C-alpha cells in the first residue's frame, strides 16, 4: 500500500508514533502495509483513511489515476 506511505509522508506523520496512535494499528503492522508485506481488510482501509484524513479511495487508487 504505497499510498498509505505517500499520504502519511505528505501529512507529515511519523509511522512509529503518530499514525500508529491515530489509527490504533501497531507500527509493525503499518510498516508491513507500506512495504507491501500485508494487505489491509476493508475495515482497516477505512480506519487508516480516517486516521489520515483522506477518502478510502485515495488509498486504493493507482498511480495511473493521477
Amino acid at each position: 500500500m504505497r499510498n498509505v506511505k505517500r499520504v502519511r509522508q505528505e501529512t507529515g506523520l511519523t509511522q512509529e508514533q503518530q499514525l500508529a496512535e491515530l489509527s490504533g494499528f501497531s507500527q509493525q503492522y503499518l510498516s508491513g502495509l507500506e512495504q507491501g508485506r500485508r494487505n489491509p481488510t476493508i475495515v482497516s482501509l477505512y480506519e487508516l483513511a480516517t486516521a489520515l484524513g483522506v477518502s478510502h479511495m485515495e488509498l486504493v487508487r493507482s498511480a495511473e489515476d493521477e
Side-chain angles (χ1 to χ4, degrees), residues 47-64:
E47 291 174 355
L48 285 168
T50 299
L52 290 166
V54 297
S55 163
H56 65 285
M57 295 303 292
E58 178 71 20
L59 299 182
V60 296
R61 70 182 172 93
S62 68
E64 297 170 356

Side-chain angles (χ1 to χ4, degrees), residues 15-45:
Q15 183 185 84
E16 295 82 11
Q17 296 173 344
Q18 296 167 323
L19 183 55
E21 288 176 13
L22 289 172
S23 67
F25 295 109
S26 71
Q27 186 274 329
Q28 291 82 13
Y29 178 77
L30 294 171
S31 177
L33 279 178
E34 290 185 359
Q35 294 177 16
R37 295 190 323 256
R38 295 182 178 266
N39 292 312
T41 65
I42 292 172
V43 172
S44 297
L45 186 66

